Amino acid sequence: MYYCKLAIRIFSRDDSWLQQLQQIEPPENFEYDPAVFAEFDAGEARKGDLIVLDTKLPYDLCRIRTYCKKSAVLIFCGEIPETAGLSTDELNACSDVWSKPLSPNLVEFRLKQVLSQIKLRKEHFLTQCYLNTTIDSIPDLVWYKDTRGAHLKVNNAFCNAVGKTKKDIQGRGHYYIWDIEPEDYAVGEYICLESEEVVLQSRETCVFDEKVKSRLGMRQFKTYKSPLFDEDGELMGTVGIAHDVTDLGNMMVELKIILRSMPFAIMVYDHKGVVTDINRRFEEYFQIEPEEIIGKDFNEWRKAIIKNPKTNDSGKLEIRLANSGIERIVEISEEPIVDVFDSFIGKLFVCRDVTKERSFEQRILLSANTDALTGLYNRRFFYEKIEENRWKPQISLLYVDMDNFKLINDRFGHQVGDDALKIVSDNLKTCCPEDMICRIGGDEFLIAVLGKCSETGLEEKAAWILRRLQKVFDGTDAMGELSASIGIAYTLDQSLPIDQLIKQSDIALLSAKRSGKARYCLYSDMLKDVIDRRGR
């Protein structure tokens, strides 16, 4: 939409001009600013967009034209002898020449024609202005071609790319503009001319990836080409827009290099969940080729591959992979990818091999929780684990202590003593594979039975341990004098302090030793009274 105030200057002694003009409705978007002067006034002439000369003139028409705006419409009205006697230069100085006499109808008709032409010229100028300003503001290359391939209009970006002016380009073809010899084009990877034919034949917008040799070297373009039709629906050419993606392409190459050199397995997928890239480490971890997954749905792949994940202390998922005989523990993290407007455009799916870390952590944890000599759990871990299981309906303890251990240690040395402790721990593991076994110090061991177990079951377990240990000890010369005693205690009271339960099992152990060693004893309140009276 536009608005135009049309300055009309009429130089005439005939007042009917103004009356005639007032009867003509202004064209759409126009408004009249009319004025009539009896004599020619150069100052008023300079203001006019439409100038009618119907009076005696002080100068010839060529000079009068110099007083007018370049775009002004200049009409000379004169008697037939006057109009017939105008020189070629004077005729060229005018926009039109009207011979008098003019009837009112003819004046109205001709004025309407002139106003219509002014409107068309105004709209043509505005259209050209809008178009030129728009395409010259676009950083992409823009061009218009006829069906022969001649360039009709291009923008500044196009001129900068080819190193030529718009005047040089207008009417010229592809080879001249891009400085390419037909022979080079034939053996190169260029598809520009072929793509024009595709657009003309398909009669619809098409998108192409095109390479062009420019004054800046080889450039990669993403081009959008559309057909142009005339008023009768016939093809008259094409319009193209080319976005230079050379730098973006180089960035993508660099990104691929970085991606492939990363020590992590990485997958990239877009906002629609479509996989766009993977690196070599990803191929290695998941034993997959790029063509098997790129372009596929990420969530479908994930459901098929990521099974039984566990959450680690950092809140990230971990899975176990076993490919080509190599087992890995992999930590998974997903990082969003956003554009400059903070809009989500995809994600990085990153898999980090934490096998060594977890192995190291396991060794540290094992070292902190176990006895270095026997490999059994230590006192610290015993308390920690018992507290975690206090909710269970029954906690039972078997307090195992070796008889005559000091005698063996003193007689045969600490190496034999250490061997004896290892033998005991190995046999306790065999006898109680589902129970928690701890070495709480010296030659003392605690076996925790977590869950329901009858007194008979506890006594049978203790008897089995004693028989097995005795058989092992009797089979060696150095350890023949060794035996073991066991104190048994259990509770159904979840509020009973664990130290209290340990004390009860210790009392039962003391009773077993006083009864002759190499035996077990089950704790009871009566037993506690007996021990308390005798003293320890």
Side-chain angles (χ1 to χ4, degrees):
M1 200 68 172
Y2 66 92
Y3 165 77
C4 180
K5 191 171 186 178
L6 190 67
I8 302 175
R9 296 296 180 262
I10 301 173
F11 298 99
S12 177
R13 295 178 182 276
D14 186 352
D15 293 337
S16 64
W17 281 100
L18 189 59
Q19 295 172 2
Q20 288 284 101
L21 186 62
Q22 289 173 343
Q23 293 177 7
I24 301 173
E25 188 174 345
E28 185 181 6
N29 304 323
F30 278 74
E31 178 186 344
Y32 295 151
D33 174 23
V36 179
F37 302 92
E39 304 293 337
F40 178 77
D41 185 323
E44 290 297 328
R46 289 190 182 95
K47 301 176 183 176
D49 298 304
L50 170 59
I51 302 166
V52 179
L53 302 175
D54 182 27
T55 188
K56 186 175 181 180
L57 301 175
Y59 318 109
D60 63 32
L61 290 174
C62 293
R63 182 173 177 182
I64 286 176
R65 166 55 80 180
T66 63
Y67 295 127
C68 304
K69 292 189 291 188
K70 186 177 179 180
S71 61
V73 174
L74 180 62
I75 298 174
F76 175 68
C77 296
E79 300 295 337
I80 292 178
E82 291 180 280
T83 58
L86 293 175
S87 68
T88 300
D89 290 340
E90 287 181 305
L91 288 172
N92 290 333
C94 297
S95 302
D96 201 359
V97 176
W98 298 351
S99 296
K100 296 191 294 186
L102 296 167
S103 67
N105 287 341
L106 186 57
V107 169
E108 181 180 346
F109 172 75
R110 289 194 170 179
L111 281 175
K112 284 182 177 179
Q113 291 294 103
V114 170
L115 292 171
S116 177
Q117 291 174 8
I118 291 174
K119 177 179 172 63
L120 287 174
R121 190 177 67 181
K122 177 71 173 179
E123 291 178 346
H124 176 264
F125 169 79
L126 289 175
T127 301
Q128 287 293 317
C129 180
Y130 296 157
L131 176 62
N132 291 335
T133 303
T134 299
I135 66 175
D136 283 337
S137 301
I138 296 174
D140 297 332
L141 280 62
V142 180
W143 66 91
Y144 296 85
K145 290 183 183 180
D146 62 19
T147 53
R148 301 171 302 159
H151 290 72
L152 306 178
K153 182 185 286 289
V154 296
N155 67 345
N156 290 337
F158 191 101
C159 294
N160 292 336
V162 301
K164 293 180 173 65
T165 65
K166 292 181 179 179
K167 186 176 180 181
D168 290 334
I169 294 170
Q170 187 172 348
R172 304 305 293 263
H174 185 84
Y175 299 128
Y176 169 80
I177 291 172
W178 292 98
D179 296 321
I180 301 174
E181 295 296 330
E183 303 79 43
D184 293 337
Y185 185 94
V187 298
E189 299 180 36
Y190 318 114
I191 63 167
C192 303
L193 300 182
E194 290 86 344
S195 62
E196 298 285 346
E197 288 301 319
V198 171
V199 174
L200 291 172
Q201 290 177 14
S202 67
R203 301 171 71 92
E204 63 182 13
T205 300
C206 302
V207 183
F208 305 94
D209 290 309
E210 301 183 337
K211 292 181 180 179
V212 177
K213 183 180 180 181
S214 73
R215 66 190 183 92
L216 301 176
M218 289 300 298
R219 308 299 292 177
Q220 177 77 37
F221 291 99
K222 176 75 74 173
T223 60
Y224 303 80
K225 298 183 179 182
S226 301
L228 296 173
F229 301 95
D230 63 17
E231 58 270 27
D232 297 320
E234 298 296 326
L235 281 168
M236 64 177 186
T238 59
V239 56
I241 300 176
H243 180 58
D244 191 338
V245 295
T246 310
D247 293 337
L248 179 61
N250 291 336
M251 287 173 59
M252 291 303 295
V253 170
E254 293 172 1
L255 179 60
K256 282 183 177 293
I257 293 172
I258 293 172
L259 198 64
R260 292 192 173 276
S261 64
M262 292 293 285
F264 313 127
I266 300 176
M267 170 196 283
V268 184
Y269 62 90
D270 64 19
H271 66 289
K272 295 180 179 179
V274 177
V275 178
T276 60
D277 204 356
I278 60 174
N279 66 353
R280 286 198 184 95
R281 194 60 62 92
F282 193 94
E283 297 172 28
E284 175 189 343
Y285 283 11
F286 293 95
Q287 293 292 288
I288 194 168
E289 295 296 326
E291 56 270 19
E292 296 179 64
I293 190 169
I294 292 177
K296 303 296 177 61
D297 184 85
F298 166 76
N299 287 319
E300 288 184 6
W301 172 85
R302 179 175 181 141
K303 288 178 183 177
I305 301 298
I306 309 301
K307 296 180 179 179
N308 302 318
K310 295 182 179 179
T311 304
N312 61 24
D313 294 339
S314 301
K316 295 180 179 180
L317 295 181
E318 285 187 5
I319 58 172
R320 288 184 176 271
L321 298 176
N323 291 317
S324 301
I326 300 174
E327 185 174 68
R328 292 186 179 91
I329 301 174
V330 174
E331 179 186 78
I332 296 173
S333 61
E334 295 187 55
E335 300 296 332
I337 306 171
V338 297
D339 61 17
V340 293
F341 302 107
D342 247 3
S343 299
F344 173 75
I345 59 174
K347 273 191 176 183
L348 286 176
F349 181 81
V350 183
C351 300
R352 186 170 68 91
D353 189 342
V354 294
T355 310
K356 291 183 179 179
E357 288 181 31
R358 297 297 174 261
S359 177
F360 184 63
E361 289 170 1
Q362 191 64 33
R363 288 199 298 270
I364 292 175
L365 189 63
L366 190 64
S367 177
N369 293 336
T370 59
D371 171 57
L373 177 65
T374 63
L376 297 176
Y377 293 123
N378 57 23
R379 179 186 288 270
R380 188 196 68 80
F381 184 79
F382 169 80
Y383 277 99
E384 181 181 313
K385 210 64 178 175
I386 285 293
E387 287 304 318
E388 291 177 6
N389 288 273
R390 284 315 308 269
W391 56 272
K392 292 193 173 178
Q394 179 178 336
I395 300 291
S396 307
L397 296 181
L398 279 68
Y399 201 137
V400 181
D401 183 75
M402 296 173 65
D403 303 323
N404 306 319
F405 180 71
K406 187 176 183 306
L407 177 64
I408 297 299
N409 237 357
D410 293 343
R411 182 180 300 174
F412 297 101
H414 291 289
Q415 182 60 53
V416 174
D418 289 347
D419 291 343
L421 292 173
K422 292 177 184 178
I423 288 173
V424 171
S425 65
D426 290 342
N427 281 274
L428 291 181
K429 291 175 188 176
T430 301
C431 295
C432 310
E434 297 180 359
D435 301 325
M436 182 173 63
I437 309 169
C438 307
R439 181 189 176 199
I440 60 174
D443 59 341
E444 297 177 332
F445 302 85
L446 270 178
I447 301 170
V449 181
L450 306 175
K452 282 285 187 179
C453 189
S454 65
E455 289 185 0
T456 300
L458 292 172
E459 290 177 339
E460 288 176 351
K461 186 184 292 279
W464 162 236
I465 293 171
L466 292 180
R467 287 196 303 271
R468 185 176 180 89
L469 287 177
Q470 197 61 56
K471 182 177 180 181
V472 174
F473 293 150
D474 291 344
T476 62
D477 294 335
M479 302 179 194
E481 298 184 47
L482 280 178
S483 62
S485 297
I486 301 176
I488 306 171
Y490 68 91
T491 181
L492 305 178
D493 183 1
Q494 296 178 354
S495 65
L496 180 72
I498 194 61
D499 284 333
Q500 184 66 30
L501 187 62
I502 293 174
K503 184 178 180 180
Q504 292 176 0
S505 65
D506 188 22
I507 291 173
L509 173 64
L510 182 58
S511 176
K513 283 185 174 291
R514 287 183 174 177
S515 300
K517 301 181 182 179
R519 63 193 64 200
Y520 65 84
C521 183
L522 181 65
Y523 173 82
S524 68
D525 290 337
M526 183 181 297
L527 180 62
K528 177 179 179 298
D529 292 339
V530 172
I531 296 295
D532 286 344
R533 283 198 300 272
R534 291 181 178 178
R536 301 190 64 178

